[in-house]
Amino acid sequence: MKFPGIYEELFYKALRIRLVEERIIELYPSDKIQSPVHLSIGQEAVAVGACQSLKQTDLLFCSYRSHAFYLAKGGHLREMFAELYGKATGCGHGKAGSMHLAAPEVGLMGSSAVVASTIPHAVGAALAAERLKKPQVIVAVFGDGATEEGAYHESLNFAALHKLPIVLLCENNGLAVHSKLEARQAYRITDQAKSYGLPVAYLADGHDVVKVHEVFSGIVGEVRRSRCPHFVEIRTCRYKEHVGPDEDSHAGYRSVEELQAWKSKDPLILNQELVAQYRPVILQEIDDAVEFAERSPWPERSELLSDVV
Amino acid sequence: MKFPGIYEELFYKALRIRLVEERIIELYPSDKIQSPVHLSIGQEAVAVGACQSLKQTDLLFCSYRSHAFYLAKGGHLREMFAELYGKATGCGHGKAGSMHLAAPEVGLMGSSAVVASTIPHAVGAALAAERLKKPQVIVAVFGDGATEEGAYHESLNFAALHKLPIVLLCENNGLAVHSKLEARQAYRITDQAKSYGLPVAYLADGHDVVKVHEVFSGIVGEVRRSRCPHFVEIRTCRYKEHVGPDEDSHAGYRSVEELQAWKSKDPLILNQELVAQYRPVILQEIDDAVEFAERSPWPERSELLSDVV
Amino acid sequence: MALIQARAATDPTLETEVVTYREALFRAMRDALARDPRVIIFGQGVDDHKGTFGSTLGLAQEFGAARVFDTPLAEEGMTGIAIGAALNGLYPIQTHIRSDFVLLAMNQIVNLAAKYKYMFGGRFEVPMLIRMVIGRSWGQGAQHSQSFQSLFAHVPGLTVIMPASAQSILECYPYVIGRHRGPVLAIEHRLMYDLKFRMDEVAEKANGSPLTSRKVRAGNDVTIVATSIMVLEAQRAAEHLARVGGIQCEIIDLNCVSHPDRSLIVESVGRTGKLLVADTSWQAYGVCAEICRIVCEHSPSALKAPVVTLGMQPAPCPTAKSLEDRYYPNLRDLTDAVATLVTGTDHHGIPLPDEHSMADVYKRFKGPF
Amino acid sequence: MALIQARAATDPTLETEVVTYREALFRAMRDALARDPRVIIFGQGVDDHKGTFGSTLGLAQEFGAARVFDTPLAEEGMTGIAIGAALNGLYPIQTHIRSDFVLLAMNQIVNLAAKYKYMFGGRFEVPMLIRMVIGRSWGQGAQHSQSFQSLFAHVPGLTVIMPASAQSILECYPYVIGRHRGPVLAIEHRLMYDLKFRMDEVAEKANGSPLTSRKVRAGNDVTIVATSIMVLEAQRAAEHLARVGGIQCEIIDLNCVSHPDRSLIVESVGRTGKLLVADTSWQAYGVCAEICRIVCEHSPSALKAPVVTLGMQPAPCPTAKSLEDRYYPNLRDLTDAVATLVTGTDHHGIPLPDEHSMADVYKRFKGPF
Ligand SMILES: Cc1ncc(C[n+]2csc(CCOP(=O)(O)OP(=O)(O)O)c2C)c(N)n1
Ligand SMILES: Cc1ncc(C[n+]2csc(CCOP(=O)(O)OP(=O)(O)O)c2C)c(N)n1
Ligand SMILES: [Mg+2]
Ligand SMILES: [Mg+2]
């Protein structure tokens, strides 16, 4: 597809993710997707802006909240829906579900449902890139909650100590399930990251997809050149409940005003003109992917015990 | 015992520890102490200075390198030697050995051979002090290497978040076994601790026992009053090999000059007058303790399976 | 008493109090807080509007944020903090919404909590309870479905319970919290939270420790030793086989995995000559293995047929429903296995039940996770 | 071949190459680095003047600090880093000077390494080796003495080996590093490092995978299944009993704890009718239990007597020598247990050997730890 400018391109990509998530919400009551879904709605711009400057050979590791990054990094939509449906044609052959999307062919190297557990993987991949002289940039994506885990500290220290070509990207949506930052963290994430000697960038508006892209592309360029680690924190907002297709702003664990404030700045809501323009083609692609998933076979019985060791 | 001043008192206590360690070195070839010993020689002043302002009801948690803290906190010398000998009268009834000294009656709440593992215990004890309104100060003692473990990060965050009455004391001897700081840490310990919002103190000279005491007593007073956590890093030097009774400065993993520089500032070496004055009475106490250990019985066979659950 | 109680899950019409697993947990938690001001409960989400699947709901409001509180994501650190808190006078109850995450705290549990008493010659005690939940169904997948009872039960110093009923919860938890002086791991099953159990009145009367195994059905044809939700599966299979095949299964709820009642098992197998073990985890190096050891060390000659074991398939848990359905033994498999074992032939001709295991429960489950 | 090799520890005078466990490890490490530039070795102290008890000594100098390097104290993080490195083309060898510390990395090992292949439908592989050392003697105590083979072997996706000879090391490690595509845990025993083993020439000829069990002594009176240093203890007991009591023990070195050779065990027990299992860890939920399961599921009727198991006493390890001596089964205990099992009476009258187990080895050991 051709776009008049970078804004439109990034907008398109973010909208595509949003519409995929909305289709999942639509489908969910049918029980065809029997998998806990951690939707990225509200956080699309982070993934799109971050991945824009990455090559397919650059590797990315993320968490269970990976739909946006899977798509932004170039994962196939058909294989994603098939995976959510538990079909043999899914990106994990039906063994992965929503929480473990991966697309090694485009550098999405895995996503894990254990918080913070892929951060060291990214560091290790960066170690391999450095030792094997691969010109890759490696990206670790994680939430604000992940920074509380011990493995996070160990990962940052090692990445900084060995000067590895990695971008550590914290998607700070201010929540871990229903807990606010204040209930969990005595530190500011970027300040703490600085203490390892990492250069840090902080972006207060995760909806500004062009800004995210610019900042990130600067950093990726820098890492590609200097082979040194960088840290980026981007504030963003998850619109839906932690896991599942619903809204839960009524539940009282977070302020409805804050949520509204984020929505009031959201280009995917504000720019209905562009939405109207791109929506049809995206919906077509989604229809096709869903149909692919519907049509696809279940995994063979033999799959149950294959690929274990 | 009466002392003309605080310097003499602290000197005496530090010398006592040194002489105990030296007796262990003497005894070691006899194979009567069948336990890996992590000697505190060179680091005595830290323990003595830190414990001087603590009450018996204040609790302290430390590592396998705990001889100095065991004695400084008030643990009985007889029970220590008996423990090293594996006797039933030892402070751990022969089940603990050198690495797990404890003296709950004076607030030494345990020492563990897994690096960093008692730091969260101290935080938890501080939580209990806070919740149960006990007027205690809790102290966590750990080495520089321990700060690399994930549990360290988790502990600092929680202590700071919940404003617990704890002093986090890092005995930085610049080494973890044979590894230098530079091979392990991308951060400066106090700077990193600051990122949790902890007030920090840094002492470059761990031989200056009066200074250690002054700084520490200020901090302990502050914690007792404010019930808020503090962090202290004290540079010090271990003279002997990591574990065992020998010198190993010839092994090449550290600079002999640096070791010499520390020794050249060591009051326990420099002030031979005071050494000569206090030595006899200390040696008498040590003789008595060793004799106690020698005379003591082995644990009963039934001890093997007691106190398991 | 145990025999009656056991029928609750299959026959909730009996005229005594009916309590869900969740309610039993909630009562145990609430009573603990009410009885002893030293009790605290912490874990991710204990104070939120879901309240650890309902088991701690509203307790933060009732007892205050100082006693029931959320934590950072820091399993190892928080377990260490629990140990330290116990050493200085609190009774900590730590919760994990999935047992899979407890692997992050293995060092504190195995190297510290399990050792603290022994290692210091009995001079310390660390009374504390760690609750963790086994996940299953709705695509929980490889990292949200594991049950690690054998990892803990291998280690002296730990007590491991797997309540298979509300009764077990209401007998064991108050005992653990109020009277037991060491670290206890309670492994709960997410899919039992909504199930109703008939409560037996004598629960409070029980003298001696409830931390042991319990016979929940008497029979002379085969001994089934089971854990957690597999006890309920076994009870269903047993009811069916009694009805259609005249087969009488004896069922032992292992309950306290670390301290099973060896003589109960050995006596039963001595009588039935046939043993089937059904566990929520993998067979190798698990409960299935340990029960075989108990029998082998005591009286292998009692076994009139090879032992049959059922557990998860030897693979990580897949997410696709079609695979997951085969990953766990279902009621048909279990019933067939028992019938084959008892009759000595797989041409036993005994009709098998229709549903796949407790399929209604498993299908109804759609979170919260 | 195996039979001859087995005698090395007891009879090092045989005229073939004699290699210590340490030398075998060193060779395996050096060869791995030399053969494949993607191999890296890291762990605390791998590059220091002690070189992981000699097994990596000088390799940092020879192959450079980029390939053999020290790490921060960060077991969980470093294991995750190993996984990531494997995913991007390196072959990481991670070392732990005590297996006790590996508990800190259980999450990465069990939730990630063991699952990475399956969970993503076979699209990734994580070839890597984690070496860890069991400690014993000289007051190692509760936290420096554990061996966790059963914790790992319980989990599908992991391969767990416990080499009991230099031969096993030189057969298994090159195979693991060069040809196996998944995560492997190698549990070494500190007290074997200095022992000499006779090498068999056919080591290289072995076709098929060496990652399985091996018969190291043939006999018809009793089957002994053992792991690690207990294989050597069993060999000593067997030599003694053959000499003074005319008893012929068959000894199976389990070797690959996660993938034992079931038929080897079942066939042997079928022939001898008697089974003794000797492991380096606790019996409950351990190797002793798993071997019982194998026999029970196959042919319990083969057992002509209750199974005897030997392992650590059900407690944490005490430090006092007087207690530690009783904590581990010694050669007398083992010999007596075998003689009792074979003769069917504890009045067997067979003279027991003098030394307490491999007392010379255990006594000689004074570190480095
Ligand atoms: C180690 C671990 N502990 C707890 C959980 C349960 N859990 C799942 S998601 C989550 C919150 C994580 O928050 P964050 O890292 O900010 O990511 P977000 O969901 O906001 O994207 C928690 C606590 C888990 N999956 N893993
Ligand atoms: C978790 C863990 N990893 C590794 C070890 C092995 N080890 C014992 S002491 C030590 C060095 C610790 O250094 P530091 O914390 O600075 O304490 P120091 O010995 O210098 O007092 C190491 C790596 C251990 N005991 N525990
Ligand atoms: Mg978040
Ligand atoms: Mg140090």
Side-chain angles (χ1 to χ4, degrees):
Chain A
M1 227 169 131
K2 279 255 167 73
F3 298 97
I6 187 73
Y7 174 72
E8 287 77 9
E9 181 176 350
L10 296 170
F11 187 98
Y12 174 89
K13 289 182 175 175
L15 179 64
R16 178 166 171 265
I17 296 170
R18 169 115 2 139
L19 295 178
V20 166
E21 298 291 57
E22 286 177 354
R23 179 63 60 88
I24 291 170
I25 296 174
E26 267 171 52
L27 289 166
Y28 215 66
S30 72
D31 288 0
K32 287 180 172 170
I33 298 174
Q34 298 209 9
S35 179
V37 288
H38 299 76
L39 301 181
S40 306
I41 294 191
Q43 306 188 187
E44 301 89 341
V46 176
V48 167
C51 290
Q52 184 68 15
S53 47
L54 295 177
K55 305 184 182 178
Q56 283 199 350
T57 48
D58 294 332
L59 308 182
L60 191 142
F61 295 77
C62 52
S63 76
Y64 48 88
R65 195 179 303 287
S66 62
H67 295 183
F69 275 95
Y70 173 89
L71 291 171
K73 191 72 176 65
H76 297 301
L77 188 60
R78 283 179 157 200
E79 298 186 2
M80 174 174 160
F81 269 106
E83 189 57 43
L84 296 183
Y85 271 64
K87 295 299 182 75
T89 53
C91 62
H93 302 173
K95 289 171 172 175
S98 161
M99 299 195 288
H100 308 298
L101 298 180
E105 71 283 5
V106 294
L108 188 84
M109 297 299 283
S111 36
S112 162
V114 179
V115 172
S117 61
T118 61
I119 307 174
H121 300 172
V123 176
L127 177 72
E130 193 263 333
R131 296 289 143 97
L132 299 174
K133 312 226 181 316
K134 300 186 183 190
Q136 299 163 311
V137 171
I138 314 295
V139 183
V141 181
F142 47 88
D144 47 296
T147 69
E148 296 150 23
E149 290 283 359
Y152 171 77
H153 167 62
E154 298 176 357
S155 298
L156 263 59
N157 183 37
F158 192 87
L161 186 69
H162 285 265
K163 304 207 177 10
L164 302 178
I166 186 171
V167 185
L168 294 144
L169 167 56
C170 179
E171 278 192 291
N172 183 349
N173 60 15
L175 291 170
V177 193
H178 311 121
S179 301
K180 297 221 175 103
L181 278 183
E182 308 83 71
R184 297 178 277 120
Q185 299 179 5
Y187 51 88
R188 283 166 175 278
I189 293 171
T190 42
D191 288 350
Q192 206 263 354
K194 262 187 218 162
S195 73
Y196 302 93
L198 296 169
V200 301
Y202 176 81
L203 276 176
D205 182 7
H207 274 336
D208 189 343
V209 65
V210 172
K211 182 80 185 290
V212 172
H213 161 56
E214 280 170 10
V215 168
F216 219 84
S217 102
I219 290 170
V220 168
E222 181 62 26
V223 174
R224 211 178 292 288
R225 201 183 49 70
S226 72
R227 317 307 291 156
C228 280
H230 278 67
F231 190 93
V232 190
E233 176 185 355
I234 305 182
R235 285 297 309 221
T236 180
C237 179
R238 120 168 107 71
Y239 291 178
K240 302 290 171 183
E241 56 185 344
H242 168 69
V243 53
D246 297 326
E247 301 263 349
D248 67 351
S249 43
H250 58 281
Y253 69 91
R254 60 162 159 181
S255 109
V256 181
E257 291 71 42
E258 205 188 303
L259 185 58
Q260 279 313 328
W262 276 98
K263 288 187 177 172
S264 71
K265 294 185 302 183
D266 184 346
L268 299 181
I269 296 176
L270 298 180
N271 196 337
Q272 282 301 326
E273 206 178 320
L274 267 192
V275 169
Q277 185 183 332
Y278 292 137
R279 204 179 143 91
V281 53
I282 294 173
L283 290 186
Q284 222 172 0
E285 190 197 358
I286 294 176
D287 288 342
D288 164 76
V290 172
E291 207 196 301
F292 174 80
E294 297 264 2
R295 272 200 330 263
S296 290
W298 303 110
E300 300 281 333
R301 199 184 185 117
S302 63
E303 279 285 309
L304 185 60
L305 295 181
S306 67
D307 292 322
V308 175
V309 185
Chain B
M1 224 168 133
K2 279 254 168 72
F3 298 98
I6 187 71
Y7 173 74
E8 288 76 9
E9 180 176 350
L10 295 170
F11 186 98
Y12 174 88
K13 289 181 173 175
L15 179 65
R16 178 167 172 264
I17 297 170
R18 169 106 14 131
L19 295 179
V20 166
E21 298 291 57
E22 286 178 354
R23 179 64 60 92
I24 291 170
I25 296 174
E26 267 171 52
L27 289 166
Y28 216 66
S30 72
D31 288 0
K32 286 181 174 170
I33 298 175
Q34 299 210 6
S35 180
V37 287
H38 299 75
L39 300 182
S40 306
I41 294 191
Q43 308 188 185
E44 301 90 342
V46 175
V48 167
C51 291
Q52 182 70 13
S53 48
L54 295 177
K55 305 183 182 179
Q56 282 199 351
T57 50
D58 295 331
L59 308 182
L60 191 142
F61 295 77
C62 52
S63 76
Y64 47 88
R65 193 179 306 285
S66 62
H67 295 183
F69 276 94
Y70 173 89
L71 291 172
K73 191 75 177 64
H76 297 301
L77 188 60
R78 284 180 158 201
E79 299 186 1
M80 175 175 158
F81 269 106
E83 189 57 44
L84 297 182
Y85 271 66
K87 296 296 181 79
T89 52
C91 60
H93 302 174
K95 290 172 172 175
S98 160
M99 300 196 286
H100 308 299
L101 298 181
E105 71 284 3
V106 295
L108 189 84
M109 296 300 282
S111 36
S112 163
V114 180
V115 172
S117 61
T118 62
I119 307 174
H121 300 172
V123 175
L127 177 72
E130 194 265 332
R131 296 289 143 98
L132 299 173
K133 311 226 181 315
K134 301 187 182 188
Q136 299 162 310
V137 171
I138 313 295
V139 183
V141 181
F142 47 88
D144 47 296
T147 69
E148 296 150 23
E149 290 282 358
Y152 172 76
H153 167 63
E154 299 176 356
S155 298
L156 263 58
N157 183 37
F158 192 87
L161 186 69
H162 286 263
K163 302 207 180 6
L164 302 178
I166 187 172
V167 185
L168 294 144
L169 167 56
C170 179
E171 278 192 290
N172 183 349
N173 60 15
L175 291 171
V177 192
H178 311 122
S179 302
K180 296 221 176 104
L181 277 183
E182 308 83 71
R184 298 178 277 120
Q185 301 180 5
Y187 52 88
R188 282 166 176 278
I189 292 170
T190 42
D191 289 349
Q192 206 263 354
K194 264 188 217 161
S195 74
Y196 304 93
L198 295 169
V200 303
Y202 176 82
L203 276 175
D205 182 7
H207 273 335
D208 188 343
V209 65
V210 173
K211 182 80 183 291
V212 171
H213 161 56
E214 279 170 11
V215 167
F216 217 83
S217 107
I219 290 171
V220 167
E222 182 63 25
V223 174
R224 211 180 292 287
R225 203 184 48 70
S226 71
R227 316 306 292 154
C228 279
H230 278 66
F231 189 95
V232 190
E233 177 185 352
I234 305 180
R235 285 297 311 222
T236 179
C237 180
R238 120 168 109 70
Y239 291 178
K240 301 289 170 183
E241 57 186 341
H242 168 69
V243 53
D246 296 327
E247 300 264 350
D248 66 352
S249 43
H250 58 279
Y253 69 90
R254 61 162 159 180
S255 104
V256 183
E257 291 71 40
E258 205 187 305
L259 185 59
Q260 279 314 328
W262 278 98
K263 288 187 178 172
S264 72
K265 294 185 301 183
D266 184 347
L268 300 181
I269 296 177
L270 298 181
N271 197 336
Q272 283 301 326
E273 204 177 322
L274 268 193
V275 170
Q277 185 182 334
Y278 293 137
R279 205 181 142 91
V281 53
I282 294 173
L283 289 186
Q284 220 171 0
E285 189 197 359
I286 294 175
D287 288 343
D288 163 77
V290 171
E291 205 195 304
F292 174 80
E294 298 263 2
R295 270 200 331 264
S296 291
W298 303 110
E300 300 281 331
R301 196 182 187 118
S302 64
E303 278 286 309
L304 185 61
L305 295 181
S306 68
D307 292 322
V308 175
V309 184
Chain C
M1 111 196 173
L3 297 189
I4 308 174
Q5 168 242 321
R7 296 178 49 200
T10 41
D11 183 1
T13 61
L14 295 175
E15 276 186 34
T16 37
E17 197 193 355
V18 168
V19 179
T20 64
Y21 199 77
R22 175 203 323 281
E23 282 161 6
L25 286 167
F26 177 79
R27 273 195 215 170
M29 292 300 105
R30 193 181 173 286
D31 287 358
L33 290 165
R35 269 186 210 159
D36 186 344
R38 290 167 304 184
V39 171
I40 58 170
I41 299 181
F42 61 79
Q44 288 145 23
V46 291
D47 60 354
D48 70 17
H49 60 283
K50 304 231 168 145
T52 322
F53 314 128
S55 68
T56 60
L57 200 59
L59 295 177
Q61 286 75 5
E62 186 174 353
F63 294 94
R67 298 189 58 203
V68 181
F69 52 96
D70 196 27
T71 72
L73 277 96
E75 287 76 7
E76 164 82 357
M78 290 311 305
T79 305
I81 287 169
I83 294 171
L87 287 169
N88 198 18
L90 289 174
Y91 186 94
I93 301 178
Q94 183 184 17
T95 66
H96 296 276
I97 54 172
R98 279 294 175 283
S99 62
D100 310 68
F101 310 152
V102 182
L103 292 177
L104 281 158
M106 283 300 272
N107 173 56
Q108 284 294 337
I109 294 171
V110 173
N111 279 337
L112 284 306
K115 315 275 191 274
Y116 229 90
K117 186 171 186 181
Y118 189 89
M119 189 163 76
F120 298 108
R123 304 188 72 189
F124 297 107
E125 286 178 327
V126 283
M128 58 188 273
L129 171 61
I130 303 179
R131 290 176 50 198
M132 64 193 81
V133 183
I134 304 171
R136 176 167 169 178
S137 288
W138 204 265
Q140 297 295 297
Q143 298 174 328
H144 275 57
S145 59
Q146 298 167 97
S147 54
F148 292 125
Q149 53 272 27
S150 70
L151 272 55
F152 302 120
H154 181 55
V155 180
L158 298 176
T159 300
V160 186
I161 57 174
M162 295 188 82
S165 67
Q167 181 101 10
S168 166
I169 290 165
L170 288 170
E171 286 175 12
C172 293
Y173 284 50
Y175 180 89
V176 161
I177 298 165
R179 294 168 58 190
H180 190 77
R181 302 293 305 155
V184 175
L185 303 146
I187 308 181
E188 303 162 7
H189 201 293
R190 180 68 188 90
L191 294 193
M192 284 201 277
Y193 269 63
D194 287 317
L195 300 186
K196 296 194 178 83
F197 294 85
R198 179 172 167 236
M199 284 299 302
D200 193 76
E201 308 155 57
V202 295
E204 293 285 341
K205 271 193 257 153
N207 52 12
S209 163
L211 304 183
T212 184
S213 310
R214 28 188 79 195
K215 188 186 291 187
V216 294
R217 190 180 204 283
N220 282 320
D221 295 329
V222 59
T223 302
I224 302 179
V225 177
T227 57
S228 188
I229 204 163
M230 295 311 292
V231 175
L232 306 192
E233 296 267 19
Q235 286 171 302
R236 294 193 169 203
E239 298 292 323
H240 174 86
L241 285 168
R243 212 163 44 234
V244 308
I247 291 175
Q248 293 304 337
C249 303
E250 180 141 309
I251 302 177
I252 294 172
D253 171 5
L254 203 59
N255 191 49
C256 187
V257 182
S258 57
H259 298 82
D261 185 336
R262 290 206 173 77
S263 44
L264 193 68
I265 296 166
V266 166
E267 185 279 325
S268 178
V269 173
R271 193 158 24 77
T272 64
K274 313 248 164 117
L275 172 64
L276 183 144
V277 190
D279 184 37
T280 58
S281 189
W282 297 289
Q283 282 115 312
Y285 296 92
V287 168
C288 298
E290 178 62 4
I291 304 305
C292 288
R293 182 179 76 94
I294 290 171
V295 174
C296 276
E297 288 187 8
H298 190 278
S299 49
S301 61
L303 293 169
K304 302 303 172 222
V307 174
V308 176
T309 69
L310 290 173
M312 300 195 294
Q313 290 290 313
C317 182
T319 52
K321 193 77 193 153
S322 59
L323 292 176
E324 205 210 37
D325 279 346
R326 294 195 174 111
Y327 184 71
Y328 295 100
N330 62 33
L331 183 57
R332 270 181 92 86
D333 300 338
L334 177 58
T335 312
D336 193 23
V338 176
T340 304
L341 178 55
V342 171
T343 61
T345 165
D346 47 10
H347 305 299
H348 51 70
I350 297 172
L352 298 179
D354 261 353
E355 340 92 280
H356 299 242
S357 65
M358 293 172 44
D360 47 337
V361 174
Y362 301 148
K363 276 202 190 118
R364 226 188 304 124
F365 179 74
K366 299 180 184 180
F369 311 106
Chain D
M1 115 200 173
L3 297 189
I4 307 172
Q5 167 241 320
R7 296 179 50 201
T10 40
D11 183 1
T13 59
L14 295 174
E15 274 185 34
T16 38
E17 197 192 355
V18 168
V19 179
T20 65
Y21 199 75
R22 174 204 323 281
E23 282 160 6
L25 287 166
F26 177 79
R27 273 195 216 171
M29 293 299 105
R30 193 182 173 285
D31 287 357
L33 289 165
R35 269 188 209 157
D36 186 344
R38 290 167 305 185
V39 171
I40 58 170
I41 300 180
F42 61 80
Q44 287 145 23
V46 290
D47 60 354
D48 70 17
H49 61 283
K50 303 231 169 144
T52 322
F53 314 127
S55 67
T56 60
L57 199 60
L59 295 177
Q61 286 74 3
E62 184 174 353
F63 294 95
R67 297 189 60 201
V68 181
F69 53 96
D70 197 26
T71 73
L73 277 97
E75 288 76 5
E76 164 82 358
M78 290 311 307
T79 305
I81 287 168
I83 293 172
L87 287 169
N88 199 19
L90 288 175
Y91 186 94
I93 301 177
Q94 184 184 15
T95 65
H96 295 277
I97 53 172
R98 279 294 175 281
S99 63
D100 310 67
F101 311 152
V102 182
L103 292 177
L104 282 158
M106 282 299 272
N107 173 56
Q108 284 294 338
I109 294 171
V110 173
N111 279 336
L112 283 305
K115 315 273 191 276
Y116 229 91
K117 185 171 187 181
Y118 189 89
M119 187 162 77
F120 298 108
R123 303 187 72 190
F124 297 107
E125 287 178 327
V126 282
M128 57 190 271
L129 171 61
I130 303 178
R131 289 176 52 199
M132 64 193 81
V133 183
I134 304 170
R136 178 168 169 176
S137 288
W138 204 263
Q140 297 295 298
Q143 300 174 327
H144 275 57
S145 59
Q146 297 167 97
S147 53
F148 291 126
Q149 52 273 26
S150 71
L151 273 55
F152 302 120
H154 181 54
V155 180
L158 298 176
T159 301
V160 185
I161 57 174
M162 295 187 82
S165 66
Q167 180 101 8
S168 167
I169 290 166
L170 288 171
E171 286 175 13
C172 293
Y173 284 49
Y175 179 90
V176 161
I177 299 166
R179 294 169 58 190
H180 190 76
R181 301 293 305 155
V184 175
L185 303 145
I187 308 181
E188 303 161 7
H189 201 295
R190 179 68 187 89
L191 294 194
M192 285 201 278
Y193 268 63
D194 287 317
L195 300 186
K196 296 197 178 82
F197 295 84
R198 180 173 166 234
M199 283 300 301
D200 194 78
E201 306 155 57
V202 295
E204 293 284 341
K205 273 194 251 151
N207 53 9
S209 163
L211 304 183
T212 185
S213 310
R214 30 188 79 193
K215 188 186 291 186
V216 294
R217 190 178 204 282
N220 282 321
D221 295 328
V222 59
T223 302
I224 302 179
V225 177
T227 57
S228 188
I229 204 163
M230 295 311 292
V231 175
L232 306 192
E233 297 267 20
Q235 286 171 302
R236 293 192 171 204
E239 299 291 324
H240 174 85
L241 286 167
R243 210 164 44 234
V244 307
I247 292 174
Q248 292 305 336
C249 304
E250 179 141 311
I251 302 178
I252 294 172
D253 171 5
L254 204 58
N255 192 46
C256 186
V257 182
S258 57
H259 298 82
D261 185 336
R262 290 204 174 77
S263 45
L264 192 67
I265 296 166
V266 166
E267 185 279 325
S268 177
V269 174
R271 191 157 28 76
T272 64
K274 313 249 165 114
L275 173 63
L276 184 145
V277 190
D279 184 37
T280 57
S281 189
W282 298 290
Q283 283 115 312
Y285 296 92
V287 167
C288 297
E290 178 62 4
I291 303 305
C292 288
R293 183 179 76 92
I294 290 171
V295 174
C296 275
E297 288 187 8
H298 191 277
S299 49
S301 61
L303 293 170
K304 302 303 173 223
V307 175
V308 176
T309 68
L310 290 173
M312 299 194 295
Q313 289 291 312
C317 182
T319 52
K321 193 78 193 152
S322 59
L323 291 175
E324 205 211 36
D325 279 345
R326 294 192 173 115
Y327 184 71
Y328 296 100
N330 61 33
L331 183 58
R332 271 181 92 87
D333 299 338
L334 177 58
T335 312
D336 192 22
V338 175
T340 304
L341 178 56
V342 171
T343 60
T345 167
D346 48 9
H347 304 298
H348 51 69
I350 297 171
L352 298 179
D354 260 353
E355 339 92 279
H356 299 242
S357 65
M358 293 170 45
D360 47 337
V361 173
Y362 302 148
K363 279 204 191 116
R364 225 187 306 123
F365 178 74
K366 298 179 187 182
F369 313 105

